[in-house]
Amino acid sequence: MDQYVALLKQFIGLCKANPDLLHDERLGFYRDYLKELGATIPPKKEKSPEEPKPEPKPAAESSPTHEEPMEAEPEEEPIPCPELDNSGVIEPDAGEALPMGEVGKEVSEDDLEKANDERDKATAAFSDGDFEKALEHYTNSIQLNPGSAILHAKRANVLLKLKRPIAAIADCDKAISINPDSAQGYKFRGRANRLLGKWLEAHADLTTACKLDYDDTANEWLKEIVPNSNFTADSLFEVSTFFDAS
């Protein structure tokens, strides 16, 4: 979120410095939005006609002189342009909805005991690499105890192993809605966004996860995406300056 706020501040600063940017045809959607809010768009300034440039005076004739040949300056090597590294990005899954449990369910002691038993089975299956079985047991546990943020976060981790980042994000969103301080919810949502190539979202989520509860894995994932998130932020800034230049 902080990245988006920073980029928005930069763009608004450009508009303040040069209000004519708002009249660019590509920003029609933005003008319409401002008008809906009751804003007044200042009229575009008319460009003043350019004054004719004075014609250069003919150079005075002079006797030819012997000039030393100038040494050619060495050509500068082009600076390599950074590129977005999309290795590891995968195609989004269908986002098939998984059972989230009954909203407002009153969890009995019997439900809680059964949910913990299903969670233990899920943990064992996950350790054995049987992610489909782990998914089944976590789903059973969630249906018994739907108000547990950690269960939704852990199922999200299983979904990541199954290459289902969209479904994982849904579980993380649920975990965060239950507990806004769910570090694992942010951690696994950040990883899911990374797999989808959503670098700024991934950076924001993983940064939040590390702030809430520092985790070595989350920190490694964060360091991995910093070049791409910086590249994306810089690219967005270049887009805003492009409007200024055009």
Side-chain angles (χ1 to χ4, degrees), residues 76-236:
E76 295 183 0
E77 294 185 4
I79 300 174
C81 180
E83 295 182 356
L84 201 64
D85 180 8
N86 279 319
S87 58
V89 174
I90 64 176
E91 290 294 324
D93 55 289
E96 183 181 355
L98 292 172
M100 295 287 183
E102 180 185 344
V103 178
K105 172 182 169 66
E106 292 186 10
V107 181
S108 65
E109 291 186 7
D110 184 53
D111 287 335
L112 189 58
E113 185 178 343
K114 290 178 179 178
N116 291 339
D117 182 55
E118 289 290 335
R119 181 198 61 195
D120 293 341
K121 290 178 180 178
T123 302
F126 187 90
S127 299
D128 292 338
D130 190 344
F131 303 124
E132 289 289 355
K133 195 169 185 179
L135 178 62
E136 177 186 346
H137 287 300
Y138 272 128
T139 299
N140 292 340
S141 185
I142 285 171
Q143 289 179 305
L144 290 162
N145 184 18
S148 171
I150 193 64
L151 287 177
H152 286 283
K154 286 185 175 296
R155 186 171 70 174
N157 190 27
V158 175
L159 290 165
L160 290 176
K161 296 293 185 181
L162 293 170
K163 306 298 183 187
R164 296 174 61 181
I166 300 294
I169 288 174
D171 256 330
C172 290
D173 288 345
K174 182 68 174 180
I176 294 168
S177 71
I178 295 171
N179 176 16
D181 293 330
S182 173
Q184 292 205 23
Y186 284 105
K187 171 184 174 180
F188 295 128
R189 191 172 72 179
R191 185 61 176 176
N193 279 319
R194 180 260 178 270
L195 293 176
L196 294 170
K198 297 181 178 181
W199 306 110
L200 292 180
E201 293 92 332
H203 188 278
D205 280 338
L206 292 170
T207 300
T208 302
C210 289
K211 286 180 179 178
L212 290 171
D213 186 11
Y214 178 83
D215 177 279
D216 285 337
T217 301
N219 188 51
E220 285 300 318
W221 288 347
L222 177 59
K223 289 192 293 184
E224 173 194 340
I225 66 166
V226 164
N228 277 352
S229 62
N230 287 344
F231 179 88
T232 304
D234 291 343
S235 297
L236 288 174

Side-chain angles (χ1 to χ4, degrees), residues 27-87:
L27 290 177
F29 69 95
Y30 185 53
R31 288 195 303 275
D32 293 341
Y33 172 66
L34 292 177
K35 290 176 181 177
E36 288 176 7
L37 297 178
T40 301
I41 307 298
K44 187 175 183 180
K45 295 179 182 177
E46 296 293 334
K47 293 184 178 179
S48 57
E50 295 184 0
E51 296 182 1
K53 296 181 180 179
E55 296 184 2
K57 295 180 179 180
E61 294 185 1
S62 58
S63 56
T65 56
H66 178 71
E67 295 183 356
E68 295 291 332
M70 295 179 64
E71 294 184 3
E73 295 183 1
E75 294 184 2
E76 295 183 0
E77 294 185 4
I79 300 174
C81 180
E83 295 182 356
L84 201 64
D85 180 8
N86 279 319
S87 58

